[in-house]
């Protein structure tokens, strides 16, 4: 009698795992396109270290997305947290240093 409910919960967890994996892909791709000098200028960990962290997070997320490990287990959760930290803290800091060429633009627009 609980089979349909368990099946629905399993699908919901799988959808959450897929969404987390997409966030991890986004974080890794964004880290790849940012210049290494931007990380140092922003006072963050090096680009190489962030790529390693996000690459491992991507593997954990993939494992959760293909149901190799359960979404409730810690590895996919840790991978998502690493990607979320990058997107919430590191990305905004390195983004302002990542512009190519000179511009007369300040942090709030042109001046």
């Amino acid at each position: 009698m609980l089979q349909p409910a368990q099946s629905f919960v399993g699908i919901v967890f799988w959808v959450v795992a897929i969404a987390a994996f997409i966030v991890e892909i986004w974080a890794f791709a964004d880290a790849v396109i940012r210049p290494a000098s931007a990380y140092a200028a922003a006072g963050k960990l090096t680009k190489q270290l962030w790529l390693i962290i996000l690459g491992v997070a991507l593997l954990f997320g993939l494992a959760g997305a293909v149901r190799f490990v359960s979404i409730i287990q810690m590895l996919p959760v840790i991978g998502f947290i690493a990607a979320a930290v990058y997107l919430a803290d590191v990305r905004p800091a390195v983004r302002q240093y990542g512009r190519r060429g000179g511009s007369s633009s300040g942090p709030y627009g042109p001046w």
Side-chain angles (χ1 to χ4, degrees):
M1 183 154 253
L2 290 177
Q3 187 61 26
Q6 289 174 343
S7 170
F8 176 74
V9 171
I11 291 171
V12 169
F13 278 133
W14 181 68
V15 169
V16 169
I18 295 295
F21 183 57
I22 291 169
V23 169
E24 292 157 358
I25 291 170
W26 175 31
F28 185 81
D30 187 79
V32 167
I33 65 169
R34 303 292 171 196
S37 60
Y39 292 85
K44 302 298 179 184
L45 296 175
T46 65
K47 178 177 181 172
Q48 182 180 14
L49 190 55
W50 270 112
L51 288 176
I52 291 169
I53 291 168
L54 294 172
V56 171
L58 199 60
L59 290 176
F60 290 167
L62 178 63
V66 299
R67 295 185 178 184
F68 184 70
V69 296
S70 170
I71 186 68
I72 297 175
Q73 291 178 341
M74 290 303 296
L75 294 181
V77 174
I78 290 170
F80 177 76
I81 290 171
V85 166
Y86 174 83
L87 291 172
D89 181 47
V90 179
R91 182 177 184 258
V94 299
R95 209 166 126 185
Q96 64 185 349
Y97 297 104
R99 295 189 180 107
R100 301 276 192 245
S103 78
S104 62
S105 180
Y108 303 107
W111 44 280

